[in-house]
Every structure is written in structure tokens, then in C-alpha cells.
Amino acid sequence: MIPKHDGWSRRWRAPAAVSAGALPALAFPAPALWWFAYVALVPWMLLLRSAPGGRRAALEGWLGGAGFILAVHHWLLPSLHVFLVPVAALLGVLWIPWALLVRELLGGRPSAGRAACALVLVPAGWLLSELVRSWQGLGGPWGLLGASQWQVPPALRLASVGGVWLVSLLLVAVNCALVLLVAVPGARVPAVAGLAGCALLTGAVWVGAVRPAESGGLRVAVVQPGPVPDSPDSAERRFAAGERLTRPLAGQRVDLVVWGESSVGEDLSARPDLARRLAALSAEVGAPLLVNVDARSADRPGIYKSAVLVGPGGPTGDRYDKMRLVPFGEYVPARALLGWATSVGRAAGEDRMQGDAPVVMDLPGQREGGPAVRLGPLVCFESAFPDMSRRLTRDGASLLIAQSATSTFQESWAPAQHASLAALRAAENGRPMVHATLTGVSVVNGPSGERIGSALPTSARTAEVYEVPLARGSTLYVRFGDWPVTAALAALAFYCGAAGARSLRRPSPPVPEPSSPPARTARG
């Protein structure tokens, strides 16, 4: 007979799973409780290990994953409205394998060996979910757990060795060790060993990891015009605001001026008057301008978002077309099926076009005797993809630049979350990064991920000059790439292979012989 309280237990477990999955969002900006990431998964994992069966653990993994997506991306509600709920439900499925691992390895009274395996495999399972959802078609790598440590110097040093992936692995391992300490008294030795191992790894990386060697500097101006109300002439007014804020930079010995995403609303080849205005502005300031054109192309079909370098003689010819577009914001996946999303939110009415390849630009007009500087431009949420900035660094970029605009989400957590990614990308690659936006938050980070100068908040309408230190050399992450992902996948493959081999070796239960029919006796 099932006790009466079981019904109540099942009813509270579902909302508890959603709430527990949402907790890690507090570690990201704007709350920015970075320390909370080291304990945020504990309630969810405690719930999963106590699930009465695998099916229940899968359900609670799915619900918790949906809760995490909703919490980290809640600022998308103005654009997606109710469509965010099915998106979260879809992505929540990615946490089911992790939930099953938690129950299998941490449930009941695990032995010391099983607990030690959990400290490796549970973080690997989490990384698997992060890896799959990092695909552009599923929204990209926004809200990776390791990204919550953007302001923690030891974590940034870890990122220079293994990228944001290594930081995520360490955070989940710490949470797993804490679950063992809290819930499994017999596993305290491997739990303490796991915590000590995480501390030793961080210390060894802090002491021994290759640090970027400074090599000169650059004076970079970031122009942030602030919000411009939507109207038929909003693009022209945004352009004029950028001009107005850039002119006072004349005489300040600026090497580069960076405008934000969509700062130019017309194709410069179709509007030579705008190209002449930008060229005159560059000559007046004494530095090239990196602007961002968001317009229908004059010489090919479709709308492109493009980083364009303009000097005193006009556009230099260096142009980068955005390659990874924001789902629903810049294109609608499977528009024939999901095009209705445009009627319930601010989804793209027309798909933007994708660029073909990354571009590294030579900075013209550099000071005599100074180091050669090459620019690696990214547009908007491309700064969330570790592989893109790594590719630019390997191609010779000295300075990474992300041009962004988050005016649609001005009063939400989105601007601060987006700006925080610059610290991770700078630390991973050992290259400074400029995150320039139209409406804030604009930031500059040095080659180790450290903040340079002050951030420009969403309330600022200004042009700020930053002394940006350049660096040479290569980080381990640039050299070896996403090796933590490879190691995690190898560990999971080995575990699955071993589990499969054990099941094959396990003898099958004997099949009972069919009983003979009862004898019939004659009566006479």
C-alpha cells in the first residue's frame, strides 16, 4: 500500500525541480553572485539523487533544465513572449542524461569508488548538455556555468588553459563534492579529495600557466550614443549622434574609434554621402573608425550586419559580415513552420544573411615604430562563442572587438550578461577585447581578462578613451583548443562502454521449463 504522503511528495518535487534548476542564474549578471555558482547545483542534485526511479530523475532533470533556461534567458520575453516556454521545454531535454548520471552515481549509498567516478562523470555529463546547446541553432553558448566567473582572476586563469569549459567542469565538480559531503557520510574521503584536487588544480594553473606578455598599447575610443526611439529616421539620428560624440576625440591621439552594432543604417556603397561623412570624421579625429552597417546590400541580395573599417580616404575594403545569427532575433529557424513567432513577439520579419568567413583587419595609420596591430571583429552574440575568438587569435588578431546592441533589453540583465563575456574571451586568448555597444554596457578587458577603465552603463551617452595594453604569445587554450570537452566526452564514452560490457557479461536468469499438463484419470 502506498503511503498517503507519496502523492504530496510527487506534487512538490516537480516545482522544486524547476526552482532548483533556476538557482544558478543568480550567479550571472546582473545579480552577479559569482560565489553562488559553487553551491547552486546542490539542491537540484540532492533532489535528483533521491528520485524513486530513472523515469522520475529524467523528468526532474528536464524540468530543472527548463527552469534554468527560463531564468537565464527571461529577458527574452519581450521578443519571444510565450514562445520562450516551449523553447525552454525543448532545451530542458538536454539535462536528462546528466540527471540520470546524478541518480545512478550519487543515489543511495554510493561506495568510495562510485563517488570518485561521480566527481569525474557528473561534471562531464553537465558539460555534454552545455556543448549540445552551444550549437547556434539551439541558441548558442549563452549562460555557460563557467561564464559566471568572469570577474574571478583564478577562474580567468583556468580559462586561459582550457577555456570556459574547464571552469564549468570545476564548478560542477565542487557542487558534486558538496553533495557527497552533505548526503553520503561514507563518501567523505573522495569528496574531500575532490575539493582538494580542484583547489590544487586552480593553484597550479595560477602559478604555472603562461601569462600574456605585454607588447605596447593602443588608445581606443568607444562611442556609445544611447537609445534612439524607433521612428522612420532613427537610423539617421543614431548616425548623427555617433558623429557628434566622435568629434571631440580630435587631438586626443586616438588610434581607433569603435562604434556599436547597427550604428550605420545604410549600405555605404549605396550612400556615398554617408561614406564621405565617415571619412571626414576619421580625418578630423586622426584615427580610423570601425563602424557596423546593418542594411540591405547594394550588390547582393539580402540584409547583412557588417563590421566596416573606414579611414580618411573612405572604407578601407576590410569588411566582416556576421556569420552566426541570433535565432528569432535575426532569423527564424524553419520559417515555414515557425514563422508564426513573428506575430506574438519581436522575431525577425526577414532573415539576415550570413557571412562566409572570419576576417582579420590591418589597422591603418599606426604610429611609427609601434607594433603591428590587427583587429579581430565579432558582431553581437558571436562573442559568446569561444571558437570564434580563438580562430581570430590564431589568424593573427592583436585586438578582439565585439560590436553589440541590446537596446531591446535595456532594463534587463542582458546588457551586463553580454558585457561579462568579453572578460572570458580576453582571458582565453590572451588578447584584449573591446565590447562596444550602442546603449551599454560597453567594456574593455585586458589580455588576462582584467577590466580596463570603467564600464559605460546603459545610462551613458558618451565617447570614452581607453589605454588598451596589447600582448604577444599564446595561451594554452589557443594552442590546444577545447581539450576539456574531448576529455569529458572520452570519460563518458568509457563509462558507457564499461556499463555495456558489464550488462553483456551478466548471466541471464534461467528460463523455467514449461510444466507438463496435469494427468487426466478415467472414470467409469
Side-chain angles (χ1 to χ4, degrees):
M1 183 176 178
I2 299 176
K4 292 183 178 179
H5 69 269
D6 276 11
W8 289 101
S9 173
R10 291 185 179 183
R11 277 193 284 270
W12 69 255
R13 289 184 69 96
V18 176
S19 302
L23 285 177
L26 297 175
F28 296 90
L33 304 176
W34 63 266
W35 53 267
F36 189 59
Y38 294 87
V39 298
L41 297 178
V42 171
W44 191 7
M45 294 170 72
L46 288 173
L47 187 70
L48 292 172
R49 73 176 294 273
S50 67
R55 186 173 298 180
R56 188 73 200 186
L59 173 64
E60 291 168 1
W62 172 53
L63 291 173
F68 177 78
I69 294 296
L70 284 171
V72 173
H73 297 82
H74 71 274
W75 43 269
L76 283 171
L77 282 169
S79 293
L80 296 183
H81 291 289
V82 296
F83 195 67
L84 181 59
V85 176
V87 168
L90 172 65
L91 295 178
V93 171
L94 300 177
W95 275 269
I96 290 178
W98 177 74
L100 294 173
L101 272 174
V102 171
R103 183 185 181 277
E104 176 68 22
L105 297 172
L106 298 178
R109 296 182 179 179
S111 63
R114 186 149 62 100
C117 287
L119 290 170
V120 174
L121 295 172
V122 169
W126 179 275
L127 203 65
L128 177 64
S129 68
E130 291 200 334
L131 177 65
V132 175
R133 74 183 180 89
S134 293
W135 178 51
Q136 177 200 342
L138 293 179
W142 190 283
L144 301 183
L145 191 61
S148 66
Q149 306 302 292
W150 61 276
Q151 55 187 331
V152 183
L156 292 173
R157 192 70 58 80
L158 283 170
S160 75
V161 172
V164 67
W165 314 110
L166 182 58
V167 185
S168 287
L169 282 173
L170 182 139
L171 288 172
V172 182
V174 170
N175 277 270
C176 186
L178 292 177
V179 169
L180 290 170
L181 284 175
V182 169
V184 188
R188 285 176 179 166
V189 171
V192 172
L195 290 173
C198 291
L200 286 173
L201 172 63
T202 304
V205 168
W206 179 260
V207 172
V210 178
R211 305 186 187 189
E214 288 197 14
S215 177
L218 208 64
R219 285 176 60 82
V220 179
V222 175
V223 177
Q224 182 176 298
V228 174
D230 286 334
S231 66
D233 64 341
S234 57
E236 175 60 35
R237 288 193 292 138
R238 187 180 300 116
F239 187 97
E243 277 185 308
R244 185 172 61 254
L245 292 170
T246 302
R247 284 200 175 93
L249 296 172
Q252 297 191 40
R253 288 176 55 87
V254 175
D255 297 300
L256 175 67
V257 180
V258 183
W259 287 14
E261 181 186 10
S262 305
S263 48
V264 179
E266 298 285 347
D267 190 310
L268 294 179
S269 61
R271 288 288 304 274
D273 57 318
L274 295 183
R276 286 192 295 270
R277 287 165 65 180
L278 289 171
L281 191 60
S282 173
E284 183 178 349
V285 173
L289 278 63
L290 185 69
V291 300
N292 189 274
V293 177
D294 182 3
R296 191 173 301 280
S297 177
D299 56 2
R300 49 186 172 168
I303 301 173
Y304 289 81
K305 284 192 175 181
S306 308
V308 178
L309 195 60
V310 181
T316 64
D318 285 325
R319 175 191 183 113
Y320 166 66
D321 298 323
K322 185 177 183 181
M323 297 172 61
R324 296 186 183 171
L325 305 176
V326 180
F328 296 100
E330 293 170 334
Y331 78 102
V332 176
R335 184 176 285 273
L337 179 64
L338 301 176
W340 59 268
T342 59
S343 63
V344 298
R346 299 177 186 173
E350 179 181 350
D351 293 349
R352 263 49 175 181
M353 306 300 291
Q354 287 181 291
D356 298 324
V359 174
V360 176
M361 305 176 178
D362 291 311
L363 181 65
Q366 298 175 60
R367 299 174 196 165
E368 187 175 349
V373 177
R374 306 187 74 197
L375 312 178
L378 299 165
V379 182
C380 193
F381 96 138
E382 289 182 330
S383 65
F385 292 86
D387 65 299
M388 296 196 73
S389 52
R390 177 174 177 257
R391 168 71 183 274
L392 290 169
T393 303
R394 290 174 66 89
D395 287 348
S398 313
L399 175 65
L400 301 171
I401 301 174
Q403 296 173 298
S404 177
T406 51
S407 55
T408 304
F409 316 106
Q410 193 73 350
E411 304 302 324
S412 72
W413 295 0
Q417 282 187 20
H418 199 179
S420 70
L421 297 174
L424 270 296
R425 302 292 88 84
E428 287 170 344
N429 296 282
R431 295 292 183 269
M433 185 162 191
V434 174
H435 179 82
T437 75
L438 290 179
T439 60
V441 176
S442 296
V443 296
V444 177
N445 292 89
S448 296
E450 75 279 13
R451 178 69 58 81
I452 302 296
S454 300
L456 301 182
T458 55
S459 59
R461 298 171 181 261
T462 186
E464 187 78 15
V465 179
Y466 295 88
E467 296 281 353
V468 181
L470 300 177
R472 53 184 171 80
S474 181
T475 65
L476 291 177
Y477 176 71
V478 170
R479 293 179 196 170
F480 300 109
D482 300 330
W483 63 265
V485 174
T486 303
L489 294 178
L492 291 172
F494 180 81
Y495 171 74
C496 293
R502 283 196 304 270
S503 66
L504 290 175
R505 288 197 302 266
R506 190 177 298 127
S508 302
V511 179
E513 296 183 4
S515 57
S516 56
R520 300 180 65 181
T521 57
R523 292 184 182 180

